[in-house]
Each structure stands twice: as C-alpha cells, then as structure tokens.
C-alpha cells in the first residue's frame, strides 16, 4: 500500500513527466474527492494515464524496479519454479534469472510476507519488480498453457464414479472450482475448459453434443471459434458435473435448466451463468462468463465521441427523463447503461436498478434481481422502486406496455430513468413505443436521449497494419461519409468537434488510409483484441415531437435525426476504421444495413 507521501510523489512525477497537466491533475483530485475514492484509482479507471505509465511512475515513487512483460515469452524451466496456485494467490510471476537471483514481477512488491514466503518456497533469493496487471496476466496465460489436462485421455467410468462420490460439497462453501475435488478427472477437465476460456477472453462457452463427439466452442470478441473436440463418452459426466456445481437436477434431461456458480482465475472472481437445453444428441450447455473484477467502463472507453457523447451527458444530467439504449441481444446495451450509472454515481443520490440478471455488482448502487417465479417482474419491481425514494432508476428492459407506462410515469414524476428496448436502430424506438400504446405527447415530453448500438472487434494495437483503400472501399467511404467529412482544411476543426475523431481526411481525397488485421502472439493470431461500440444517438427536438404526433414511421424518424446531425452506426464505424480502431470489413459485417 502506498503511503500519503508516496501518493504525493506519484502526483508530482505525473506532472513532471508530462503525463498529466497540473490542471488535469487538479480536476482529477476534485473528482476523486467527489466520488470518495483514491486519486490513483480514479486515474486508472478513467484512463487519464495508461496503465503501463501509471505502473512505471508508481515504481519510481516506491523505489522498486519496474518491468513490462506484455511481450515476453517465459521459458518452461522458469514457469515450473512456482506452482500455479501460488501465482494466482499472490499475483506474482517469475520471469527469468539474474545472477543468483530469481526475477519475480508482482502487483504489490511491498507485500513483504508474500515475498518471504515465495523465496522460501522456491529456495532462492528474489529480485522483485513492480508490473502492471496486463503484464502479470500475459505471463499467467503461459503458466496455464503448461497445466491443461489431457481431456481426451480421461477414464469416463472413473470420472462418473468420482463425480457421484463428490456431489456433496456446496459451491457456496468454495471460492473457486479448484477447491472442489481436485483429483476427480472430470473436475480437472472442467477446470481446464473454464480456465482456458477465461485466459482466452471468451464471453461464452458452448458445449454442444453431436452424434459421435462433443464440440467445445468459445465466443471471443463476438465470434464463435471451434476450440476442441472431445469423445462422446465424456459428455454425461461433464454435464453432470456442471449441473452439480450449478445446483441443478442431474437426473432431469427433458426440460431446460438455468443456474450459476463462480470460479477464481488469474486473481479475478468470474461469475458463470449456465443455460442447459435438451437437443437431438443430448444436452447443450452454454456458459456465460461475467468478470466481476473488470475495470470500470466510461463512455469514452466504450467508443462514444463528439456530439453523441455530449447528447448522452446532457440527457442523463437533466433532472428527469428517459435515456434508452437499443440494439439486438449481445450488442452491449446493458454495458452502456452501466457506464452511464458510473457517470452519475454519487453519495448524494439514490440509484436503484432492476435487472434480469444482475450481471455486474456495483458498490454504492442498490441492485434488484428480477424473479418472475415469485411475482417480481419488471413492472412489479418498478412499482416497488418508486417507493424507495430513488433519484435514478435503471430498468433492465422495457418488454411490455405495463413496464413502458411505468417508466414513462417515473420520468414524468421527476426521476432519471435508464432502460433498454429491443429494436434494430435508434430511430425504431419511437415507433416501438407508439406501438406499445404510449401516447405521443408523453413520449415527446419524457425521452431525453436514444442510443442505437452494435459491437465491432477492435484491431490489435501491436500488429495492425495501415494500407491505402481500394477503389471500391474509397467509393463506399465517400458514399457513407461524404456529407459529414470536411470539404476543406478550414472545416477540419468544426467537423472534429462534431464527430469527435482526430483523423479526418477531406471528402475529395482519392484514397484513404485504413487498417487491416494481421495477427501476432498478443492477439492469438486473430488481429483483433477486444470490442468497441459503434453508435447512433439522437435527442428529442421540437421537430421530432411533431413527427411523433403524426405517428411517424422509422424511416421518417431516421431522416429527421440525421437532419439534426446524428451520425448513423455505419458512419460512426467508418470513422473508427479510418482512425485505426477497427476495420472496414468489421463495420460492414455488423452494420451493412445502415
């Protein structure tokens, strides 16, 4: 832990190293005081300074050596020196020998007890470095690759016996899967599948029975990938093990079942949501991984820029009204609302959420889990919330007229209401509410901001390559962005302020610089790492209210929103492609119809 003197030293180094101006540091201090959190945590969460730079400055302040391991490959002989459980417990990774000392990188090198324990365990003196979490995670992934179970060699009969013998322990009494029956072959197999998924940044695991085999597929950055094929004989024991951990009935194979449990991986707590459904060749299992320790997202880190970001900020800081996020399943709607909640969070207001399910647990927020089995629906929960003196209400989804009516009434009675609704575009939200039976004048007087969104894969920063666009790509860019690109250099400043992007070629340029995915070790050869949103955002205007009173169609709303200055999702995506955040191909994949 840093002393007060150490924190002051970091502040001084940030300014003297030109990583932060004195004005930005002062603003960050005021915000940290407002949110009642440490300044260093706020700087890291808001990406004012990169994680590596912040770690390097912290090392200087603590007078310990710093190391960046994000591109290092550690030899097997070094990996074998420290057991995997100790690596995860202490977030410490050995990465080389320096004379008679073993070099070890840690998140907290000031933990003397941990350093002493590791030194005694490995039987040699340590040279301890401070490293960032991405550095530690990068080396940890190499530790895991050496410890995966040979799943195909499992004895399924013994596995089933072990599974039944060890069915008693409750997941509630365990912090992670590894605590449960470590020596059971099926348990080790499941641990390996889950652990590898966490290291691969997978959002979902699909366990799919086929006629003669069992397929395991991971969804990474929104794309499903074949990962492994297992023998059919392992299927009953593996699915039974998942059911036991999820507190589901192992003898029920005819109806769908839903459950959940937790694992501990790379020093992080990960919630697993389980959905089991009967299919032709057995039971399909889909596991959703929800990282509880994921960094706090901001509107900027999600990809909101320029006018879109301003409209959202203005809308949510009004004293009342609705902010709606729309898009298909898996388009990041809930994540956007979580970022908005983080923007609004303060000790001076009461924020209550109603979710199905509660995906991420947030400190300082009152979160309610919908449970239709006992009558706690969105509508019933919303009625209850209104008696809890809320300032801000987050409703997970507006699914029906009753919930929509209550959300509108809540916005009318002085509450800020955030919610999601399923439509294909932002313009489709208003006709959808009309279709639900909400009066046009109520929609016009309550809605502040509407957000439409999709997710595209982000290019890997380490290996992306610039190239000059082809004739067809250039034509597509001009057709899509022609009306919003600057016509001359004199227009650059105005357009930058509006769209929020730095790289803005002129509309009559013969070619444009775009970027393509190459692939490297850092991104697993995919060329992409992570995802970012492409958005369209509009606010309610007098012209839009007139359209509502005339029961306007989606296309009429779309035309009016664009006339008011809205960028479409495809336009926003193309700007991100020209700025090296994604590729033109990714934008075409998810926003071809915009």
């Amino acid at each position: 832990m840093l002393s007060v003197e150490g924190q002051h030293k970091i502040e001084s180094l940030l300014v003297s190293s030109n990583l932060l101006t004195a004005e930005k540091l002062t603003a960050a201090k005021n915000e940290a005081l407002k949110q009642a959190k440490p300044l260093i945590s706020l700087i890291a969460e808001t990406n004012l300074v990169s994680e590596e730079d912040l770690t390097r400055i912290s090392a200087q302040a603590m007078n310990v050596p710093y190391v960046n391991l994000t591109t290092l490959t550690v030899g097997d002989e070094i990996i074998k020196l420290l057991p995997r459980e100790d690596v995860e417990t202490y977030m410490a990774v050995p990465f080389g020998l320096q004379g008679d000392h073993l070099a070890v990188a840690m998140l907290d090198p000031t933990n003397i007890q941990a350093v002493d324990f590791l030194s005694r365990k490995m039987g040699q003196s340590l040279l301890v470095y401070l490293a960032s979490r991405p550095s530690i995670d990068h080396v940890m992934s190499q530790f895991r690759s050496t410890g995966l179970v040979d799943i195909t060699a499992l004895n399924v009969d013994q596995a089933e016996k072990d599974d039944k013998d060890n069915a008693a322990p409750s997941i509630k009494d365990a912090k992670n899967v590894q605590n449960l029956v470590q020596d059971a072959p099926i348990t080790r197999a499941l641990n390996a599948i889950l652990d590898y998924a966490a290291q691969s940044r997978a959002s979902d695991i699909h366990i799919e029975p086929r006629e003669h085999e069992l397929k395991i597929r991971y969804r990474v950055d929104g794309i499903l990938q074949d990962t492994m094929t297992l023998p059919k004989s392992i299927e009953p024991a593996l699915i039974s093990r998942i059911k036991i951990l999820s507190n589901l009935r192992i003898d029920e194979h005819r109806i769908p079942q839903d459950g959940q449990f937790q694992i501990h991986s790379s020093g992080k707590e990960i919630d697993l949501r389980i959905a089991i459904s009967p299919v032709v060749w057995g039971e399909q299992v889909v596991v959703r991984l929800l990282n509880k320790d994921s960094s706090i997202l901001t509107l900027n880190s999600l990809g909101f820029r320029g006018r879109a970001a301003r409209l959202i900020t203005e809308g949510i800081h009004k004293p009342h009204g609705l902010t709606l996020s729309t898009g298909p399943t898996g388009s990041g709607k809930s994540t956007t609302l979580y970022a908005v909640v983080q923007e609004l969070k303060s000790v001076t207001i009461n924020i209550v959420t109603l979710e199905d399910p509660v995906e991420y647990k947030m400190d300082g927020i009152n979160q309610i889990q919908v449970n239709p089995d006992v009558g706690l629906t969105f509508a019933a929960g919303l009625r209850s919330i209104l008696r809890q003196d809320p300032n801000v209400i987050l409703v997970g989804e507006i699914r029906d007229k009753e919930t929509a009516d209550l959300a509108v009434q809540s916005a009318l009675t002085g509450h800020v209401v955030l919610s999601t609704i399923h439509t294909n575009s932002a313009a489709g939200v208003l006709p959808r509410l009309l279709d639900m039976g909400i009066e046009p004048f109520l929609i016009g007087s309550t809605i502040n901001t509407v957000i439409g969104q999709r997710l595209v894969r982000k290019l890997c920063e380490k290996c992306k390559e610039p190239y000059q666009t082809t004739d067809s790509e250039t034509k597509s860019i001009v057709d899509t962005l022609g009306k919003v690109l600057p016509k001359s250099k004199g227009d650059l400043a105005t357009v930058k302020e509006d769209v929020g992007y730095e790289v803005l070629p002129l509309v009559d340029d013969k070619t444009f610089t775009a970027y393509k995915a190459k692939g490297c070790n850092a991104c697993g050869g995919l060329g992409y790492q992570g995802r970012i949103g492409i958005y369209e955002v509009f606010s309610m205007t007098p012209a839009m209210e007139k359209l509502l009173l005339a029961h306007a169609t989606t296309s009429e709303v779309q035309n009016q929103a664009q006339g008011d200055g809205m960028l479409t999702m495809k336009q926003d995506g193309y700007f991100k492609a020209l700025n090296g955040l994604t590729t033109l191909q990714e934008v075409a994949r998810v926003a071809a119809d915009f």
Side-chain angles (χ1 to χ4, degrees):
M1 295 292 292
L2 273 173
S3 63
V4 174
E5 181 183 353
Q7 294 181 40
H8 289 325
K9 191 171 182 181
I10 288 179
E11 295 172 18
S12 177
L13 287 167
L14 286 171
V15 175
S16 63
S17 301
N18 295 320
L19 292 171
L20 273 183
T21 63
E23 292 77 10
K24 285 188 176 180
L25 181 61
T26 301
K29 282 183 176 181
N30 293 335
E31 186 63 25
L33 187 62
K34 178 182 174 184
Q35 297 188 24
K37 64 172 57 174
L39 173 64
I40 305 306
S41 298
L42 180 85
I43 290 173
E45 290 168 4
T46 54
N47 297 315
L48 282 173
V49 176
S50 73
E51 191 161 358
E52 287 301 329
D53 282 336
L54 190 57
T55 304
R56 176 172 53 81
I57 292 296
S58 299
Q60 290 182 46
M62 290 188 288
N63 293 316
V64 297
Y66 158 78
V67 65
N68 185 341
L69 304 175
T70 53
T71 60
L72 180 71
T73 300
V74 181
D76 288 347
E77 68 280 1
I78 300 296
I79 285 179
K80 293 175 182 176
L81 292 175
L82 190 62
R84 190 177 74 179
E85 57 268 24
D86 290 332
V87 168
E88 294 182 347
T89 300
Y90 298 104
M91 293 301 285
V93 291
F95 63 91
L97 293 169
Q98 296 185 11
D100 296 331
H101 299 281
L102 177 65
V104 175
M106 299 181 68
L107 282 183
D108 183 13
T110 62
N111 188 340
I112 305 300
Q113 291 85 354
V115 173
D116 182 60
F117 170 79
L118 295 173
S119 178
R120 286 187 284 105
K121 184 147 190 176
M122 289 184 282
Q124 59 188 117
S125 58
L126 306 183
L127 186 57
V128 182
Y129 288 76
L130 176 66
S132 65
R133 182 173 286 277
S135 282
I136 300 291
D137 288 345
H138 174 72
V139 179
M140 274 188 170
S141 66
Q142 299 170 52
F143 275 68
R144 275 166 186 73
S145 65
T146 65
L148 294 178
V149 178
D150 181 6
I151 300 174
T152 57
L154 291 173
N155 182 318
V156 71
D157 294 332
Q158 180 62 35
E160 287 179 319
K161 178 180 182 301
D162 289 339
D163 213 39
K164 292 175 182 176
D165 291 344
N166 293 295
S170 169
I171 190 64
K172 294 178 181 178
D173 300 325
K175 291 185 177 180
N176 52 60
V177 177
Q178 284 82 358
N179 288 348
L180 294 175
V181 208
Q182 278 289 349
D183 296 328
I186 282 297
T187 298
R188 295 201 306 275
L190 181 58
N191 288 349
I193 292 170
L194 298 176
D195 206 27
Y196 188 66
Q199 293 307 306
S200 302
R201 300 179 296 105
S203 60
D204 301 88
I205 306 169
H206 289 240
I207 302 174
E208 302 171 338
R210 303 284 194 263
E211 185 175 6
H212 303 296
E213 61 192 17
L214 186 66
K215 277 279 187 186
I216 309 292
R217 297 198 290 170
Y218 292 167
R219 187 180 294 279
V220 180
D221 295 335
I223 305 295
L224 274 173
Q225 304 170 0
D226 269 338
T227 305
M228 62 185 80
T229 301
L230 305 180
K232 184 73 172 175
S233 57
I234 200 176
E235 179 191 328
L238 183 65
I239 292 177
S240 291
R241 188 64 196 156
I242 293 172
K243 287 181 177 180
I244 289 169
L245 293 174
S246 308
N247 290 322
L248 302 177
R249 291 182 55 185
I250 62 172
D251 60 340
E252 179 57 75
H253 308 287
R254 301 165 299 170
I255 60 174
Q257 297 188 76
D258 296 328
Q260 61 184 21
F261 62 96
Q262 296 178 358
I263 63 170
H264 188 80
S265 179
S266 300
K268 302 174 184 177
E269 293 289 340
I270 299 177
D271 284 334
L272 303 180
R273 244 180 30 226
I274 313 299
I276 302 178
S277 298
V279 294
V280 172
W281 303 114
E283 290 180 280
Q284 177 184 4
V285 181
V286 177
V287 181
R288 168 66 56 88
L289 288 81
L290 300 169
N291 186 355
K292 296 169 67 177
D293 297 327
S294 59
S295 59
I296 295 174
L297 295 171
T298 63
L299 293 175
N300 183 67
S301 67
L302 293 180
F304 288 99
R305 300 287 186 271
R307 180 178 181 272
R310 290 195 299 273
L311 287 180
I312 294 173
T313 303
E314 290 167 5
I316 62 177
H317 284 100
K318 289 181 179 179
H320 55 80
L322 267 166
T323 294
L324 295 175
S325 178
T326 186
T329 301
S331 61
K333 301 185 298 297
S334 296
T335 303
T336 295
L337 295 187
Y338 281 129
V340 169
V341 167
Q342 290 294 341
E343 179 94 6
L344 292 170
K345 190 169 75 170
S346 167
V347 295
T348 62
I349 64 173
N350 178 24
I351 302 177
V352 185
T353 77
L354 188 64
E355 304 171 64
D356 183 21
V358 175
E359 294 191 353
Y360 297 102
K361 299 173 179 66
M362 297 180 287
D363 289 335
I365 308 297
N366 302 300
Q367 295 174 274
I368 300 173
Q369 168 74 56
V370 167
N371 186 356
D373 292 340
V374 297
L376 182 54
T377 61
F378 279 117
L382 190 47
R383 288 194 191 91
S384 172
I385 286 174
L386 292 173
R387 295 190 290 271
Q388 297 175 17
D389 188 29
N391 300 99
V392 178
I393 302 170
L394 188 155
V395 182
E397 184 182 346
I398 293 177
R399 295 177 177 173
D400 50 45
K401 183 180 186 303
E402 186 179 13
T403 308
D405 275 331
L406 286 166
V408 168
Q409 293 301 322
S410 301
L412 281 172
T413 54
H415 303 91
V416 174
V417 181
L418 314 172
S419 190
T420 70
I421 189 168
H422 279 284
T423 63
N424 287 325
S425 65
V429 168
L430 304 186
R432 174 77 175 121
L433 290 173
L434 289 171
D435 186 58
M436 284 183 174
I438 309 299
E439 292 294 336
F441 72 92
L442 289 177
I443 299 173
S445 59
T446 55
I447 285 187
N448 291 334
T449 315
V450 178
I451 307 163
Q453 64 184 84
R454 297 286 191 280
L455 293 177
V456 294
R457 290 181 292 173
K458 287 178 65 177
L459 278 166
C460 173
E461 290 294 330
K462 297 185 183 300
C463 66
K464 66 180 181 183
E465 285 188 345
Y467 73 97
Q468 295 302 304
T469 55
T470 64
D471 290 344
S472 61
E473 288 174 335
T474 300
K475 183 179 184 304
S476 179
I477 291 171
V478 172
D479 289 345
T480 302
L481 299 180
K483 292 182 179 179
V484 289
L485 280 177
K487 305 296 186 294
S488 66
K489 291 184 179 180
D491 296 334
L492 277 172
T494 303
V495 177
K496 279 182 181 180
E497 175 70 17
D498 195 37
V499 302
Y501 294 98
E502 285 299 316
V503 178
L504 292 174
L506 300 181
V507 68
D508 57 355
D509 285 355
K510 291 182 171 58
T511 63
F512 302 94
T513 300
Y515 295 81
K516 60 184 177 182
K518 181 182 177 183
C520 65
N521 291 334
C523 59
L526 299 174
Y528 297 96
Q529 195 168 37
R531 287 190 288 176
I532 194 168
I534 57 174
Y535 304 98
E536 53 187 26
V537 180
F538 71 83
S539 60
M540 190 58 62
T541 62
M544 195 70 77
E545 289 189 46
K546 287 182 180 178
L547 285 179
L548 270 173
L549 292 172
H551 288 260
T553 63
T554 298
S555 60
E556 290 172 334
V557 174
Q558 179 78 16
N559 291 336
Q560 181 61 52
Q562 287 184 248
D564 291 336
M566 181 187 80
L567 290 182
T568 67
M569 279 186 265
K570 189 173 183 180
Q571 287 173 333
D572 188 43
Y574 271 23
F575 276 123
K576 285 182 167 70
L578 294 176
N579 281 262
L581 296 174
T582 188
T583 63
L584 295 170
Q585 292 75 22
E586 267 295 289
V587 178
R589 179 177 67 85
V590 303
D593 53 339
F594 290 99

